[in-house]
Amino acid sequence: MKIPTIHGYIDRRILINFTADPKTVEKIIPFPFRPKIYKGKAVVGICLIRLKNIKPKGLPSFMGLHSENGAHRIAVEWDENGETKTGVYIPRRDTSLKFNTLVGGRLFPGKHYLAKFNVKEGSGNYHIDFISSDGTETLIDAIETTTFSNKSVFETLDNASAFFRSGDLGYSPNKTKFEGLRLNAFTWQVRPLEVLNIKSSFFEDEAVFPKGSIAFDNALLMTNIEHEWKAENQLRCISVNMHP
C-alpha cells in the first residue's frame, strides 16, 4: 500500500541528540547507509514528538489523530543514482496510539511499538517518559533556555539547526525494504533546552553501544509547526544489523 501524503501539526518536538563512535554505529546500521560524520563523530538520538490532527492530506480536520511518539534516529548518508544523499535511519518507533501500531508499515512507515507516555509540561519545563511494550524506556527532564550548550560538538545553535534540518528524510525498515518519509516543515525554528535528566535504555545498552562509545550532546525544541510527510522512494533492504 502506497503511503499517502500526511498533513498535520507538530504540537511539540524535542530532539535529544548524542554523539557516538562512528565505528560502533557502522556495526548497527544496514547497507546502504553509513554514519553521517560531524567533526569526527556519528550523531544519534531520539525524537519525542506530539502530533495533532494527523490525517491523509485532503481529509477534513475532524478526522485527524493525536498521539505522542518516540523515534530513535541515526544520522546517515548513502549513495543513490550517483549522488550522496543524507537523512536519518530510524531503527524503532514508539507510539501512544494503538492505531499506529496496527497500520505501521502500511499507512505509516515501519513497525510501531505501543508505549505508555507520561508527559508534564508547563512554564518552559518539560518532563517526558515512556515505557514501551518490549520494555524500552526513555526519560527526559529539561527546561527552556536562551543559551545553547557550550559543550556541544556543534558549537552554535545555527550549526545544530542546519545539521538536523538536513535530516528531513527518514528511512524505516519494513521486511525486505526501507520505507522513506520526508518531513516538510512549513516553518523551521529550533530552541535550546537545558537537560536536567536523561535516560535511554536503547542507547544505554552496552551490548550495542560499549561503554564510552556514546555521550549526550544537546537537546532542541520545536513547537506549533504545520507540516506534511511525503513518501519517498523505497530502498532495498540487504540486512538489518540491529534488532529494533
Side-chain angles (χ1 to χ4, degrees):
M1 179 178 177
K2 180 176 174 59
I3 299 172
T5 296
I6 304 295
H7 177 270
Y9 294 85
I10 297 171
D11 189 49
R12 180 262 299 132
R13 185 188 195 203
I14 293 176
L15 297 177
I16 308 171
N17 306 308
F18 301 78
T19 56
D21 172 49
K23 296 291 186 183
T24 298
V25 175
E26 284 176 3
K27 296 177 183 178
I28 61 175
I29 56 176
F31 182 86
F33 304 114
R34 58 182 180 268
K36 182 179 179 181
I37 305 301
Y38 189 90
K39 293 188 176 180
K41 297 290 187 179
V43 179
V44 304
I46 308 163
C47 173
L48 297 175
I49 188 169
R50 180 165 60 239
L51 300 173
K52 289 190 174 182
N53 294 327
I54 298 299
K55 57 185 174 43
K57 188 176 180 179
L59 293 182
S61 295
F62 72 85
M63 297 186 70
L65 299 174
H66 309 329
S67 62
E68 289 280 355
N69 306 273
H72 288 71
R73 303 150 34 101
I74 300 171
V76 295
E77 57 185 23
W78 65 96
D79 298 321
E80 184 179 347
N81 299 324
E83 296 182 32
T84 298
K85 303 289 186 72
T86 63
V88 291
Y89 174 63
I90 304 172
R92 70 170 293 137
R93 295 177 180 271
D94 299 273
T95 182
S96 65
L97 190 63
K98 190 173 183 180
F99 176 79
N100 290 353
T101 69
L102 299 175
V103 300
R106 289 176 289 174
L107 183 59
F108 302 134
K111 178 179 179 179
H112 288 61
Y113 290 85
L114 187 63
K116 183 177 181 180
F117 282 76
N118 176 37
V119 179
K120 298 176 182 177
E121 299 175 359
S123 302
N125 292 272
Y126 295 86
H127 170 90
I128 304 168
D129 69 75
F130 73 80
I131 183 167
S132 197
S133 56
D134 67 345
T136 296
E137 295 182 73
T138 296
L139 176 149
I140 186 172
D141 287 296
I143 57 174
E144 291 190 50
T145 179
T146 58
T147 304
F148 185 66
S149 173
N150 60 10
K151 298 180 180 178
S152 171
V153 70
F154 293 101
E155 295 183 338
T156 71
L157 181 62
D158 287 344
N159 290 347
S161 177
F163 182 90
F164 293 108
R165 189 169 191 175
S166 71
D168 61 348
L169 175 56
Y171 275 99
S172 300
N174 186 11
K175 298 180 181 177
T176 61
K177 58 186 180 294
F178 299 112
E179 295 175 330
L181 204 62
R182 187 179 297 276
L183 171 64
N184 176 22
F186 291 11
T187 59
W188 182 273
Q189 184 177 14
V190 300
R191 308 196 298 276
L193 287 173
E194 179 184 349
V195 174
L196 308 176
N197 190 19
I198 179 71
K199 175 180 175 58
S200 167
S201 63
F202 188 86
F203 290 126
E204 291 169 6
D205 183 354
E206 292 187 3
V208 180
F209 290 92
K211 190 172 182 178
S213 67
I214 188 169
F216 171 74
D217 188 83
N218 72 84
L220 303 172
L221 174 69
M222 304 174 70
T223 55
N224 302 319
I225 299 168
E226 186 177 2
H227 73 285
E228 290 179 353
W229 272 313
K230 295 184 178 181
E232 291 279 335
N233 293 336
Q234 295 179 349
L235 298 177
R236 183 167 171 242
C237 179
I238 304 299
S239 65
V240 177
N241 300 329
M242 177 189 290
H243 180 68

